[in-house]
Structure formats: structure tokens, C-alpha cells
Amino acid sequence: METGIYAQQLELFQLFQPTNIKVCTSKFTFVDLFAGIGGFRIPLEELGGQCLGYSEIDKEAIKTYQNNFIKCNSEEIYLGDITNINKLPFEEIDILVGGVPCQPWSIAGKLLGLNDPRGKLWFNVFKLVKENQPKAFIFENVKGLTEPRNRASLNYIITNLTQAGYIIKYQVLNSYDFGLPQD
Ligand SMILES: C[S@@+](CC[C@H](N)C(=O)[O-])C[C@H]1O[C@@H](n2cnc3c(N)ncnc32)[C@H](O)[C@@H]1O
């Protein structure tokens, strides 16, 4: 048993045990850009991630996302339209993710690339990466972005993200190889 000054210190310490500090059980934090209905969120949560906030503009997607993921006492922030965000309101972000709209590079679209308003959303992505400096990021798009006709756009995206201070790797993956019914 402690005596004297140590006992007093111990007592004082026990008296001031904080009671309102939350136990953080998450392994990492992430922010979900172009969140859609949560395709990125499911695996990230399965891996122990905690979502800090999500950006999406489609009303039906937001409704589905909120019904599926947002608990009523959640402190998570709905971030709205990415074009209105200058800096994400978080001190530190482990991973920034986003399925950046892909129509400008898809053979199913008009192939306007960075001249398409949806292609320009990459500029908002660059801004947030530069401002917030997440530890890492993952952005998803269509295979078409890697094809020769879109090479200049892909190089431009890689250059901007590299200039923000990151090492960029990209890969074409087939969802079919991951157990999904889509080739
Ligand atoms: C390719 S989808 C992403 C799908 C998502 N990964 C999912 O699992 O559902 C792109 C999403 O970006 C959203 N979006 C388009 N413009 C946006 C903007 N200005 N701010 C935020 N989200 C936007 C679209 O509504 C769409 O849901």
C-alpha cells in the first residue's frame, strides 16, 4: 500500500478520473467522398475503420446511405456537395476515399474528360488532398481512364496527386475476381 505523498497523489489522480472520454475502438478513420450508397464504406468498416463524414448530392443515394449506415446519435458529418468544401473539417484523416464520377471517361459517356463538369470534380479532389493531407487515399474510377484516349487525363490526375506529396499507384481490377456478379 502506498503511503505519504504518493498515496495523496494516487488519491488525487483517482478523484479526477475522466468519465466522459470515449474509448476509441476504431483502427483508422476515413472520409467517404462521392459516397453513393456506401460501396467504399462497407469494406472499410469491416476492416475496423470509422467514418468521420461523407459527401454526396443525390437525394436517393443520401437517403439509402443514411438508412443503412448513420445511427441516430452518430457524430458523423454530412458534408454535402464537394464543390462547396474548401477544407474538410477534421484535424486528421487516415484515409480519404471516393468513387469520383466516371461518365467523362466511360465508353458509355460522351468522353469529354476533364472538360465535363463531372470530370472537373477531380479539381475538388486535388484541393481536399492538398488541404487536408490524409495519410493515404483511394480513388476509384472506370477502366476507360487508363486507356490510350484518356492517357493525358490520367497523367494529369497522377501529376496533381504527386505534387500534393504522395506516391501514386493505380491498377485495373475486375469486380468479378472479388466475388461480385459483375464483369
Ligand atoms: C461513381 S458514383 C460513386 C458510387 C459509390 N462508390 C457507391 O458505392 O455507391 C459517384 C457519386 O458521386 C456523386 N456526386 C456527383 N457530384 C457530386 C458532388 N458535387 N458532390 C458530392 N457527390 C457528388 C453522385 O451522386 C454519385 O453518387
Side-chain angles (χ1 to χ4, degrees):
M1 192 174 147
E2 298 286 351
T3 54
I5 186 79
Y6 297 112
Q8 282 169 26
Q9 283 177 354
L10 193 64
E11 208 173 298
L12 206 65
F13 177 73
Q14 281 164 349
L15 255 181
F16 291 101
Q17 280 289 327
T19 54
N20 59 349
I21 290 183
K22 286 187 188 146
V23 180
C24 180
T25 51
S26 69
K27 293 183 183 158
F28 61 90
T29 60
F30 67 93
V31 173
D32 204 359
L33 301 178
F34 309 104
I37 56 169
F40 259 114
R41 182 168 176 139
I42 294 171
L44 289 175
E45 283 192 332
E46 280 174 8
L47 291 168
Q50 181 201 350
C51 186
L52 300 175
Y54 56 100
S55 165
E56 174 54 60
I57 53 166
D58 183 278
K59 284 196 184 103
E60 293 306 316
I62 297 168
K63 221 190 287 172
T64 305
Y65 191 94
Q66 291 179 340
N67 280 340
N68 284 336
F69 302 110
I70 309 299
K71 298 172 193 100
C72 50
N73 57 354
S74 165
E75 287 171 9
E76 223 173 289
I77 300 175
Y78 167 60
L79 298 158
D81 185 332
I82 194 172
T83 62
N84 295 330
I85 311 172
N86 286 320
K87 185 176 180 183
L88 293 164
F90 311 110
E91 284 281 301
E92 221 179 75
I93 301 165
D94 290 328
I95 309 183
L96 188 60
V97 298
V100 190
C102 55
Q103 297 92 333
W105 289 275
S106 166
I107 41 167
K110 292 184 180 157
L111 299 173
L112 293 177
L114 291 164
N115 294 319
D116 185 311
R118 294 161 299 189
K120 290 190 196 317
L121 292 169
W122 273 105
F123 298 116
N124 300 90
V125 170
F126 302 150
K127 182 161 72 179
L128 297 186
V129 168
K130 279 181 197 146
E131 286 294 328
N132 286 88
Q133 294 282 303
K135 289 184 188 149
F137 49 73
I138 310 169
F139 299 120
E140 168 263 334
N141 214 272
V142 280
K143 184 176 93 170
L145 185 54
T146 66
E147 288 168 358
R149 66 176 184 281
N150 290 321
R151 194 72 223 179
S153 295
L154 181 61
N155 286 344
Y156 184 78
I157 291 167
I158 292 173
T159 302
N160 271 274
L161 294 173
T162 304
Q163 282 169 353
Y166 295 83
I167 296 168
I168 310 302
K169 289 183 185 171
Y170 72 89
Q171 197 174 347
V172 177
L173 302 171
N174 189 345
S175 50
Y176 178 80
D177 294 333
F178 298 86
L180 296 174
Q182 183 179 7
D183 190 11

